[in-house]
């Protein structure tokens, strides 16, 4: 009789489902699970915080379409991972969290780190379960994989009591389900496709909006064909950037507000009318706007705005249906319309404003100056990770993406702290595939603080990530060193220092140096360009560039506030 442990069963079940990566922090009772995973040929990346581990695992799911695992200990370990699970669920990214828990025979007794983990995770996941026995582990793993990638992707949780980890069972009694195949591809109804094409042909001011759902479905070639066949202008959402290149002649991102406000027919490709797109409501959208909505999730159709044509299905497949019918109709939206002229004028005007801000040579630098020179040096194929307030928002407009799934940011949930976990995930994938592509993580100083110790993880695994901290001494804005010193003289800083302020000119680059990476403190354009070029030349260790900018630097004046609030 050949016996296997629960830990071995978990590892073998994951391997059978083509799970390649586990991120986590080990301790009682799941150390043996991590060791068994490595023995089974699964790569294990040890992180410094469970949230960051879950962010990393979910980013692998988004970038590959196959879930990674976040492995955590019981109680507090699992609770720390809930932020990552919620973020994955809101972003619709597949991830599996496996949590150790108290021994089954100690439930309700006040066991070490006892917590109702299965119940708690139901709020943050599509599927949450504990195998009833060792022989059920492979089946539960297969269902978790299937649940997290089928339909709308999301998070799943598997609970493993401590006494299951080392318990043994005869291998002959175990049945391993076959590997879960990719999700079945669904098509929209022909009637709705015909309706959508008719609407487009009648539109005066049409607009395509490309969401991260389009990136996840790998619809870039089909959407490129759609734009070429139709001649339509398109607007990417933050993580829809790069599905088509940001410098594509039909991209109207530089006239975003006007495009949204004046479009009379909007084609929504794998994006949701949530806060990022101002719910589809006036005054950001025309009250007479007609919606063609493409989504994998039936419940999302007509959410907030009634879809005139509701195309339920996989974005890639549905766009192919649209292209096929448009080719039969040989219809092309004219390039000389008043709508195109209006958009191009606004794009040129906004570009002039941004360029003027970028070329200011005063010190300290502003956001636009820093981003302008960063953008000049970044390779076109790099992965850009970004988080922060102004740092992320201004970076979206100035750091262009040319390839799909090359931008990762705070996403639908607006989660701060995701950046370093996302960067680690992207770098691990690039290293495994030996692509040579660089991962560049552009962080606000506040955002960096959420998961800054993950720089040790980067150094430990020799991941050549470049972190650029845009340091304005605060959340949204800070104060300069002189003002800070004057406030310190006034008394108790807990009653004097504005809540948004952080320590001026904090030396974040020294955190990276402490673990063997390269650190740079820069104040001028010349120092910034030199540090970034040196970091790009370094391919064996990570770097951190601490860019000191004007604490009062802000984004250019906007036609509408970035966060839409209801007046109801």
């Amino acid at each position: 009789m050949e016996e296997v442990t629960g830990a071995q069963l978990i590892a073998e079940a994951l391997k059978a489902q083509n799970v390649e990566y586990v991120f986590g922090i080990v301790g009682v009772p799941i150390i043996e699970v991590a060791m068994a995973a490595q023995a089974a040929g699964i790569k294990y990346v040890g992180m410094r915080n469970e949230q960051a581990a879950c962010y990393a695992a979910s980013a692998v799911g988004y970038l590959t379409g196959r879930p990674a695992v976040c492995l955590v200990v019981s109680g507090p370990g699992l609770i720390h991972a809930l932020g990552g699970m919620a973020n994955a669920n809101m972003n619709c990214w597949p991830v599996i969290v496996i949590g150790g828990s108290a021994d089954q025979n100690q439930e309700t007794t006040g066991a070490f780190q006892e917590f109702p983990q299965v119940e708690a995770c139901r709020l943050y996941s599509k599927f949450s379960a504990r195998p009833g026995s060792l022989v059920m582990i492979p089946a539960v793993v297969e269902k978790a994989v299937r649940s997290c990638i089928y339909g709308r992707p999301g998070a799943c949780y598997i609970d493993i009591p401590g006494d299951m980890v080392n318990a043994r069972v005869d291998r002959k009694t175990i049945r391993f389900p076959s590997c879960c195949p990719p999700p079945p591809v669904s098509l929209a109804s022909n009637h709705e496709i015909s309706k959508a094409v008719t609407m487009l042909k009648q539109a005066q001011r049409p607009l395509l909006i490309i969401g991260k759902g389009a990136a996840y479905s790998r619809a870039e070639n089909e959407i490129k064909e759609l734009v070429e066949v139709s001649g339509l202008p398109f607007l990417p959402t933050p993580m829809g950037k790069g599905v088509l290149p940001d410098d594509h002649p039909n991209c109207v991102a530089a006239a975003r507000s006007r495009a949204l406000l004046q479009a009379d027919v909007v084609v929504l490709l794998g994006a949701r009318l949530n806060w990022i797109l101002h719910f589809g409501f006036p005054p950001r959208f025309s009250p007479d706007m007609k919606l063609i909505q493409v989504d994998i999730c039936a419940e999302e159709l007509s959410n907030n705005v009634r879809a005139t044509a509701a195309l339920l299905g996989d974005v890639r497949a549905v766009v192919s249906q649209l292209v096929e019918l448009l080719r039969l109709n040989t219809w092309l939206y004219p390039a000389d319309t008043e709508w195109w002229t209006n958009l191009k004028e606004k794009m040129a005007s906004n570009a002039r404003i941004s360029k003027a801000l970028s070329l200011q040579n005063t010190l300290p630098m502003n956001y636009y100056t820093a981003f302008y020179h960063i953008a000049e040096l970044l390779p076109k194929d790099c992965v850009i990770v970004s988080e922060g307030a102004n740092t992320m928002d201004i970076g979206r407009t100035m750091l262009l993406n040319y390839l799909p799934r090359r931008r990762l940011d705070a996403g639908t949930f607006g989660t701060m702290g995701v950046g370093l976990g996302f960067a680690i995930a992207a770098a691990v994938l690039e290293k495994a595939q030996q692509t040579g592509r660089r991962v560049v993580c552009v962080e606000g100083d506040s955002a960096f603080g959420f998961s800054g110790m993950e720089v040790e993880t980067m150094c430990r695994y020799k991941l050549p990530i470049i972190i650029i901290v845009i340091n304005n001494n605060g959340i949204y804005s800070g104060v300069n060193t002189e003002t800070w010193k004057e406030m310190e003289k006034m008394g108790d800083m807990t009653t004097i220092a504005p809540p948004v302020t952080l320590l001026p000119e904090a030396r974040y680059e020294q955190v990276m140096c402490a673990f063997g990476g390269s650190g740079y403190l820069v104040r001028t354009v010349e120092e910034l360009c030199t540090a970034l070029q040196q970091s790009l030349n370094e391919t064996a260790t990570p770097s951190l560039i601490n860019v000191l900018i004007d604490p009062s630097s802000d984004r250019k004046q906007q036609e509408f506030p970035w966060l839409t609030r209801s007046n109801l």
Side-chain angles (χ1 to χ4, degrees):
M1 181 177 70
E2 180 189 358
E3 290 188 325
V4 289
T5 66
Q8 289 174 299
L9 280 178
I10 296 164
E12 291 177 19
L14 292 172
K15 187 70 175 178
Q17 298 302 321
N18 284 343
V19 173
E20 296 186 26
Y21 295 95
V22 173
F23 299 81
I25 300 178
V26 297
V28 175
I30 48 84
I31 296 173
E32 291 85 355
V33 177
M35 296 171 66
Q38 288 181 317
I42 297 172
K43 297 179 175 69
Y44 174 80
V45 180
M47 306 284 284
R48 299 305 300 264
N49 179 278
E50 289 91 354
Q51 280 189 17
C54 201
Y55 297 146
S58 66
V60 168
Y62 169 68
L63 293 169
T64 68
R66 204 74 188 177
V69 165
C70 174
L71 182 64
V72 297
V73 300
S74 52
L78 183 277
I79 292 169
H80 292 165
L82 292 180
M85 291 179 68
N87 187 71
N89 237 27
M90 293 297 290
N91 269 341
C92 308
W93 290 2
V95 68
I96 296 173
V97 176
I98 297 178
S101 61
D103 290 2
Q104 294 174 95
N105 63 1
Q106 293 180 348
E107 284 188 1
T108 75
T109 66
F112 175 67
Q113 296 183 334
E114 183 180 355
F115 188 74
Q117 296 178 186
V118 175
E119 295 87 343
C121 288
R122 288 198 176 108
L123 284 174
Y124 307 93
S125 63
K126 293 180 65 181
F127 169 77
S128 179
R130 171 191 289 182
S133 64
L134 290 179
V135 297
M136 285 300 296
I137 286 175
V140 171
V141 168
E142 188 277 339
K143 184 166 184 176
V145 171
R146 181 161 35 90
S147 297
C148 77
I149 61 176
Y150 278 30
R152 174 183 276 178
C156 290
Y157 175 67
I158 302 173
D159 193 73
I160 304 293
D163 53 333
M164 269 194 181
V165 172
N166 291 311
R168 295 177 176 272
V169 66
D170 184 355
R171 183 182 287 278
K172 292 179 181 178
T173 64
I174 306 299
R175 184 183 68 85
F176 283 88
S178 59
C179 182
C180 173
V185 175
S186 53
L187 297 171
S189 76
N190 290 330
H191 173 73
E192 293 296 308
I193 291 288
S194 297
K195 189 192 298 187
V197 170
T198 300
M199 288 172 60
L200 280 175
K201 291 167 67 176
Q202 295 173 348
Q204 307 246 325
R205 299 178 302 281
L207 178 67
L208 299 176
I209 298 180
I210 303 172
K212 69 174 176 289
Y216 181 79
S217 72
R218 284 157 170 70
E220 52 266 20
N221 292 333
E222 289 73 16
I223 292 176
K224 178 184 178 184
E225 191 175 5
L226 173 62
V227 171
E228 289 173 349
V229 166
S230 66
L232 294 172
F234 71 86
L235 174 69
T237 64
M239 271 189 281
K241 283 164 59 67
V243 170
L244 295 185
D246 282 342
D247 61 354
H248 190 287
N250 289 51
C251 180
V252 295
R256 182 182 190 273
S257 291
R258 182 164 297 183
L260 296 179
L261 176 62
Q262 297 184 4
D264 64 347
V265 173
V266 168
V267 184
L268 201 61
L269 300 175
R272 289 170 280 179
L273 290 178
N274 54 24
W275 67 275
I276 292 177
L277 287 174
H278 318 285
F279 315 108
F281 295 164
R284 299 304 301 266
F285 286 77
S286 166
D288 300 319
M289 179 266 289
K290 293 181 180 178
L291 180 65
I292 299 169
Q293 188 173 10
V294 182
D295 205 283
I296 194 70
C297 177
E299 291 84 354
E300 190 62 40
L301 298 173
S302 295
N303 193 34
N304 293 330
V305 175
R306 176 64 58 185
T308 308
L311 308 182
L312 175 65
D314 174 77
V315 174
R316 182 178 180 182
V318 173
V319 171
S320 292
Q321 290 179 277
L322 290 170
V323 169
E324 183 179 1
L325 191 53
L326 284 168
R327 285 196 183 282
L328 288 174
N329 285 266
T330 61
W331 174 81
L332 181 70
Y333 183 71
D336 59 353
T337 61
E338 183 180 350
W339 174 231
W340 260 123
T341 301
N342 189 356
L343 290 173
K344 288 177 179 177
E345 287 176 352
K346 185 60 175 175
M347 290 165 66
S349 172
N350 284 342
R352 285 192 295 271
I353 294 170
S354 294
K355 188 71 175 288
L357 289 167
S358 301
L359 296 180
Q360 289 181 3
N361 56 10
T362 56
L363 290 178
M365 290 182 283
N366 63 37
Y367 282 105
Y368 293 87
T369 302
F371 280 128
Y372 175 82
H373 291 282
I374 291 169
E376 289 285 296
L377 289 173
L378 288 187
K380 285 194 171 185
D381 65 349
C382 73
V383 178
I384 299 175
V385 181
S386 185
E387 63 173 330
N390 292 340
T391 297
M392 182 173 63
D393 294 336
I394 299 171
R396 285 170 176 165
T397 66
M398 299 196 68
L399 300 179
L400 303 187
N401 291 87
Y402 304 93
L403 295 166
R405 296 169 296 281
R406 293 291 186 275
R407 180 179 175 88
L408 302 167
D409 69 19
T412 307
F413 214 26
T415 310
M416 291 297 104
V418 296
L420 273 60
F422 285 178
I424 288 168
V428 165
L429 292 174
E430 300 297 346
K431 188 173 183 177
Q433 296 163 11
Q434 298 182 332
T435 64
R437 283 191 291 259
R438 302 308 302 270
V439 177
V440 181
C441 188
V442 185
E443 301 266 304
D445 50 332
S446 171
F448 176 76
F450 282 85
S451 53
M453 282 301 290
E454 296 301 338
V455 299
E456 187 274 334
T457 307
M458 298 175 185
C459 291
R460 186 170 7 117
Y461 291 103
K462 298 190 183 305
L463 303 173
I465 296 163
I466 300 171
I467 302 173
I468 303 174
V469 176
I470 305 297
N471 187 352
N472 70 342
N473 304 342
I475 306 167
Y476 304 110
S477 63
V479 299
N480 59 33
T481 303
E482 291 73 24
T483 303
W484 185 266
K485 289 178 179 177
E486 289 300 315
M487 290 193 303
E488 286 182 321
K489 294 176 183 177
M490 294 168 63
D492 185 356
M493 290 291 277
T494 61
T495 61
I496 296 170
V500 295
T501 55
L502 299 171
L503 188 68
E505 300 189 3
R507 300 297 301 271
Y508 298 111
E509 80 284 356
Q510 294 183 1
V511 179
M512 179 66 83
C513 293
F515 299 109
S518 300
Y520 304 88
L521 177 69
V522 304
R523 300 176 186 272
T524 67
V525 167
E526 293 75 18
E527 291 172 345
L528 172 59
C529 293
T530 299
L532 182 51
Q533 190 59 64
Q534 289 178 359
S535 297
L536 288 167
N537 292 339
E538 175 56 70
T539 59
T541 56
S543 304
L544 192 152
I545 305 171
N546 187 8
V547 185
L548 303 184
I549 68 166
D550 185 347
S552 60
S553 179
D554 203 352
R555 68 188 84 188
K556 64 182 176 63
Q557 188 173 1
Q558 297 173 293
E559 294 179 49
F560 292 94
W562 68 272
L563 183 60
T564 300
R565 297 187 181 279
S566 174
N567 293 322
L568 299 178

